[in-house]
């Protein structure tokens, strides 16, 4: 079962524009200064696009209300957000009533060591995935502690499986574990302590 994280429906054009932005980010990192492209012209064109968006964007407070409307998950987070061009994004499926997983392949924008995923990116993916597992299991909250262990380098350009499972709920304390695997081997594992509270959504 695929988990629908996002509340409501949105115009398809937003997702198409965000996907185009992901392509631009990836292409810029790949090109660097080793390209025959006229980067000054590209900068001018990108600034023109940014100017168009900025001139028609709502006030930040209004956008925050829109981002957090409804009671479901949001579309803007940096891991699974369909409206965030820095998100891979991850699509989660249910393994059982307390466990979820996602598969993704990360490229150069997420690099730390040569041809490997940045350790901070791995922690981000796991923190978010543990939180999604909590929501799926029915008891969620904010991160209080996240212990991350790096077992081996996590490769870029290869399929990764990211799994999380809610282990226990004791009053307001929720404990969850997760891992990132490549080729069946654990690259990164995490244990999280979450506290069952939720900051109020902008209204």
């Amino acid at each position: 079962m695929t988990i629908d994280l996002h509340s409501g429906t949105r115009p398809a054009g937003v997702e198409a524009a965000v996907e185009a932005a992901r392509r631009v980010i990836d292409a810029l990192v790949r090109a660097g200064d080793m390209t025959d492209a006229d980067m000054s012209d590209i900068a001018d064109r990108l600034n023109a696009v940014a100017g168009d968006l900025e001139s028609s964007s709502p006030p930040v407070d209004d956008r925050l209300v829109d981002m957090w409307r409804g009671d479901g998950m949001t579309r803007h987070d940096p891991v699974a957000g369909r409206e965030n061009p820095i998100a891979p994004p991850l699509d989660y499926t249910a393994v059982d009533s307390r466990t979820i997983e996602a598969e993704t392949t990360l490229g150069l924008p997420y690099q730390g060591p040569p041809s490997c995923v940045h350790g901070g990116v791995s922690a981000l993916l796991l923190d978010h995935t543990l939180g999604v597992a909590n929501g799926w299991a029915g008891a969620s909250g904010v991160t209080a502690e996240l212990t991350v262990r790096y077992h081996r380098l996590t490769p870029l350009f290869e399929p990764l499986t990211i799994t999380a499972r809610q282990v226990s709920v004791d009053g307001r304390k929720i404990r969850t574990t997760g891992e990132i695997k490549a080729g069946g081997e654990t690259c990164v594992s995490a244990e999280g302590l979450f506290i069952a509270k939720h900051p109020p959504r902008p209204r």
Side-chain angles (χ1 to χ4, degrees), residues 103-167:
E103 291 191 0
T104 191
T105 300
L106 301 179
L108 287 177
Y110 304 98
Q111 180 174 233
S115 297
C116 296
V117 179
H118 192 290
V121 171
S122 296
L124 170 67
L125 298 181
L126 283 167
D127 178 48
H128 185 79
T129 303
L130 267 59
V132 174
N134 287 335
W136 175 247
S140 62
V142 296
T143 309
E145 295 177 4
L146 184 69
T147 301
V148 181
R149 296 180 176 84
Y150 297 91
H151 304 270
R152 59 192 290 265
L153 293 173
T154 304
L156 298 175
F157 317 120
E158 295 183 22
L160 305 176
T161 301
I162 305 167
T163 306
R165 177 177 178 79
Q166 187 177 94
V167 176

Side-chain angles (χ1 to χ4, degrees), residues 1-50:
M1 171 188 286
T2 300
I3 302 173
D4 182 8
L5 298 180
H6 309 118
S7 57
T9 58
R10 306 293 257 187
V14 174
E15 290 192 12
V18 169
E19 184 58 35
R22 287 192 186 99
R23 287 188 62 197
V24 170
I25 292 169
D26 185 75
L28 284 170
V29 178
R30 289 182 62 185
D33 59 4
M34 298 179 65
T35 177
D36 295 329
D38 184 343
M39 296 300 275
S40 293
D41 176 64
I42 289 172
D44 288 342
R45 286 188 280 155
L46 291 176
N47 279 318
V49 171

